[in-house]
Amino acid sequence: MAMLAISGLVFLAIHIVPATPLRRTVVGAIGEGPYMGLFSIVSLISIWWWVSAFNATAPDAVLWTFPNWWPWIKAVIVLCAAVLFVGGLSSPNPTLPHGGKLLERPNVGQGIFAVTRHPLMWSFGLWGIAHLLSQPNWRGAWFFGLFALTAIGGAILQEWRKAETYGASWDRFAGKTSFIPMLAVLQGRARLSIAEIGWWRIGVAVLLWAIMLHLHLRLFGVAPLPLLR
């Protein structure tokens, strides 16, 4: 459990750096290209270490239980995460590195960004939360909980950095969108349109979700739904 805790904190620290002034310092010292390459390598090593520690840690005492219908709710949450992931990855995304010019587009904030202006980060966050609730022990709570915290906390830090970097352009984007999923739609500041998100993105997300449901037992040894056992 100690190795799982240490590797998790290292993962968290590494992924907080890009949203802090330390990133600017490192990029100034070695350049953008070398920084991205170094960050990718270190990030992959930290993920491998963290997952290895998780797999090597035996499940401990059960902390909570959940009803029989929970796996179906979890499947829906993971489907929503898949839509956010595919939409955020395939749409022009102003929250990605060097995406600041996209803030000047007249349609910025539409599509998947009407749901949340951080679709990628929330996709990881929702995935982590859904799996956290399905792992009723300290091992699962630490791994999936910290994963969700890294994603959502990183998005919060990114908010501050983007606002400082892009000023009024970011403020206009933030005014038409929301950090919390669906909040801007409920407040009337954004309009949810499946057509603007893209039917093909929805289709790809559903396909990816279905494939992972089908392969989950084979890959991870756990059936996500009772009918797949």
Side-chain angles (χ1 to χ4, degrees), residues 115-150:
V115 180
T116 173
R117 56 180 169 268
H118 294 281
L120 278 177
M121 302 300 269
W122 271 103
S123 73
F124 298 132
L126 288 177
W127 179 88
I129 291 170
H131 285 77
L132 158 67
L133 295 175
S134 297
Q135 297 277 328
N137 49 60
W138 284 115
R139 169 181 178 258
W142 182 259
F143 183 82
F144 293 108
L146 194 59
F147 192 93
L149 176 64
T150 302

Side-chain angles (χ1 to χ4, degrees), residues 121-207:
M121 302 300 269
W122 271 103
S123 73
F124 298 132
L126 288 177
W127 179 88
I129 291 170
H131 285 77
L132 158 67
L133 295 175
S134 297
Q135 297 277 328
N137 49 60
W138 284 115
R139 169 181 178 258
W142 182 259
F143 183 82
F144 293 108
L146 194 59
F147 192 93
L149 176 64
T150 302
I152 298 174
I156 293 173
L157 292 175
Q158 191 180 74
E159 289 266 303
W160 300 339
R161 184 167 63 87
K162 294 288 186 179
E164 179 184 5
T165 303
Y166 299 111
S169 296
W170 177 263
D171 291 340
R172 286 193 297 272
F173 176 56
K176 296 189 290 185
T177 59
S178 62
F179 180 85
I180 299 174
M182 295 302 295
L183 182 59
V185 174
L186 294 175
Q187 292 177 337
R189 295 187 289 116
R191 181 178 64 90
L192 183 62
S193 169
I194 302 300
E196 290 177 356
I197 293 175
W199 285 102
W200 71 268
R201 292 187 176 95
I202 304 294
V204 170
V206 171
L207 179 61

Side-chain angles (χ1 to χ4, degrees), residues 50-120:
W50 195 24
V51 171
S52 298
F54 174 77
N55 291 331
T57 303
D60 46 5
V62 174
L63 300 176
W64 62 82
T65 59
F66 40 85
N68 293 334
W69 46 260
W70 163 247
W72 299 96
I73 300 298
K74 175 186 174 183
V76 172
I77 295 173
V78 173
L79 175 58
C80 293
V83 172
L84 289 173
F85 176 78
V86 173
L89 195 64
S90 62
S91 302
N93 192 338
T95 66
L96 292 178
H98 307 298
K101 292 182 180 179
L102 298 172
L103 294 170
E104 304 303 327
R105 290 190 174 188
N107 63 343
V108 66
Q110 296 179 3
I112 197 66
F113 303 100
V115 180
T116 173
R117 56 180 169 268
H118 294 281
L120 278 177

